[in-house]
Amino acid sequence: MSEADAALMEASLTAVADAGIDIRHTLFDRFFAAFPDRRASFMVVDASSRRMTDETLQMMFGLAKGEGWVWPLVAELVFTHRAYGPLPIAEYDAFIDMTVVELGAAAGTAGAAAAWQRHADALKAMIRRARAEWESAMPVGMPQPAD
Ligand code: HEM
């Protein structure tokens, strides 16, 4: 937990909200440019891009604040995402990193970048842990990612 990080992160979220910027558009453009084959997995990008972007930001902010709800939310996310096929861990990493980059660009300040990145890395580690735990708890039917 880091109150200093949480304060910096909150300030950048406020700056982006005040500027009226919705980062999900550039974020998803960037994600689909990097992983064009994944585009077909999304049936309703407008709906999913809102939730994926919001929840990724909430999870990182929650980690900075030491919130206990982050772990169960991450565990659920990893489980429900099995429905979308085997998603390589590299795509989770890239989506999280791109979220941090797009938020930083929209906030227009570099001050919070290191704080976001610290909790982005913690989120990536938590996703790995959730995937490993589901795999050992329910090995049958687990998709087998290429990584
Ligand atoms: C921390 C990272 C992520 C979070 C928090 C997240 C969260 C979400 C949420 C909340 C939804 C909407 C589910 C619903 O409304 O039922 C969703 C949908 C989806 N997510 Fe993610 N997601 C993440 C990463 C990823 C990654 C890396 C991929 C692909 C490689 C992915 C692929 C999808 C797909 C294909 C859908 C369904 C889209 C549709 O049917 O239109 N997600 N995600």
Side-chain angles (χ1 to χ4, degrees):
M1 173 169 95
S2 167
E3 280 176 27
D5 281 359
L8 285 167
M9 292 160 79
E10 190 166 16
S12 62
L13 288 171
T14 305
V16 172
D18 287 348
I21 300 171
D22 196 349
I23 66 164
R24 69 193 172 95
H25 302 294
T26 49
L27 171 57
F28 272 73
D29 286 350
R30 187 187 274 248
F31 185 72
F32 290 142
F35 303 101
D37 293 348
R38 189 61 61 205
R39 176 67 186 78
S41 309
F42 286 80
M43 285 187 287
V44 190
V45 177
D46 185 58
S48 299
S49 62
R50 291 171 201 270
R51 291 200 58 200
M52 276 182 48
T53 306
D54 283 355
E55 292 202 10
T56 303
L57 292 169
Q58 282 165 13
M59 286 169 175
M60 290 188 279
F61 189 51
L63 284 169
K65 294 202 295 175
E67 299 283 359
W69 48 258
V70 181
W71 166 246
L73 193 60
V74 168
E76 191 207 12
L77 160 85
V78 163
F79 189 80
T80 54
H81 275 61
R82 299 189 327 160
Y84 310 132
L87 303 180
I89 195 72
E91 293 189 35
Y92 278 102
D93 288 354
F95 185 77
I96 293 164
D97 285 338
M98 287 176 189
T99 305
V100 170
V101 169
E102 290 302 330
L103 189 85
T109 55
W116 279 104
Q117 196 60 54
R118 263 190 288 282
H119 303 288
D121 293 343
L123 177 55
K124 291 181 214 168
M126 207 174 244
I127 289 171
R128 282 171 171 72
R129 189 177 130 213
R131 282 164 64 112
E133 291 201 12
W134 279 119
E135 208 162 331
S136 74
M138 301 180 69
V140 177
M142 285 297 289
Q144 300 299 319
D147 52 320

